[in-house]
Amino acid sequence: SHRELMEAMEAAFRATKLPVRMSEGAVRKVKLSFPTALPQGMTSLREVVEVAVEHGPTLREICERLAAKLPEGLVVTDADWLYTGEKARVTEVAWEVRGVPRTGIEDLLGADAIPAERRGRKIDLAKLLAGWSMDDGRLRISIRWTDAGTARPEDFLRAADLDPTAMAIRKTGMTFRTTFGETIRRDGAPDSCQ
């Protein structure tokens, strides 16, 4: 779950003895955040954690020290510096859904409008669809994140009258835009820390 991932990352950062920024108060915690929380019951090939590291270590050193302290199954793939005050805003999230029948989904995703309801609001999922492909029962779908909101793969599956709980859904990547206009894309299977 997202909470377990946060706890594992905090414990690993503490164990590295890296100079990370801590919260204030009686119970000090590592100040970290995940731009996109992993939904309950879904897996991920790529997650991004933001943490403020003070002066000193190189990106390589941060990756190596963190990788040595993470529990089995969690892997550090890469790291980037953001300047103080710079933010990376999520603009798109890529997903893979396995076990999707072709019937209905291709027509739905090719439509000009996909009416749906999310959290009590009526939305047009077509405006949030950045791209998709389908092969061998595997749907790859990229969904935009906007100031007005976003959607998840299960919203599209429900709109096609499909049961998302009968399928395996995993996050495969994310795209960010920094406050300085740089685009950062993280997708596909992890390689190794660069």
Side-chain angles (χ1 to χ4, degrees):
S1 75
H2 177 68
R3 183 183 186 100
E4 291 169 328
L5 181 58
M6 283 192 72
E7 289 170 355
M9 292 302 296
E10 181 179 2
F13 270 109
R14 279 182 181 279
T16 65
K17 305 276 192 246
L18 286 165
V20 295
R21 193 167 296 150
M22 304 292 284
S23 65
E24 299 296 322
V27 181
R28 294 173 47 92
K29 295 185 172 230
V30 175
K31 286 185 89 169
L32 53 82
S33 68
F34 291 80
T36 61
L38 186 62
Q40 186 80 20
M42 295 185 193
T43 60
S44 180
L45 288 178
R46 291 277 185 166
E47 284 299 307
V48 172
V49 60
E50 295 175 343
V51 63
V53 179
E54 304 296 334
H55 62 284
T58 65
L59 288 177
R60 182 76 177 176
E61 184 181 0
I62 293 168
C63 287
E64 289 172 354
R65 288 170 68 179
L66 184 59
K69 300 298 182 182
L70 285 170
E72 188 175 335
L74 291 181
V75 179
V76 177
T77 59
D78 51 39
D80 283 307
W81 291 117
L82 292 178
Y83 296 101
T84 302
E86 184 180 16
K87 293 286 185 187
R89 185 176 67 84
V90 177
T91 57
E92 195 175 302
V93 179
W95 300 87
E96 179 184 83
V97 185
R98 293 181 183 204
V100 179
R102 276 195 173 313
T103 310
I105 195 73
E106 289 179 327
D107 290 339
L108 176 89
L109 295 175
D112 291 334
I114 308 170
E117 190 171 307
R118 180 159 170 73
R119 297 184 179 164
R121 288 183 337 144
K122 292 191 183 302
I123 61 169
D124 180 1
L125 293 174
K127 292 179 179 176
L128 298 171
L129 184 61
W132 67 277
S133 66
M134 177 84 181
D135 63 82
D136 297 327
R138 188 177 304 174
L139 170 66
R140 290 180 181 86
I141 186 168
S142 291
I143 303 170
R144 288 184 187 94
W145 276 52
T146 69
D147 292 337
T150 189
R152 290 187 177 157
E154 60 266 31
D155 297 314
F156 289 89
L157 297 169
R158 285 189 194 100
D161 291 324
L162 298 172
D163 178 9
T165 62
M167 295 164 214
I169 302 173
R170 72 176 170 178
K171 189 187 300 182
T172 58
M174 288 169 270
T175 303
F176 301 85
R177 178 161 312 280
T178 70
T179 48
F180 298 126
E182 180 186 7
T183 297
I184 300 170
R185 180 177 213 91
R186 296 288 180 255
D187 56 8
D191 298 319
S192 61
C193 191
Q194 302 298 320

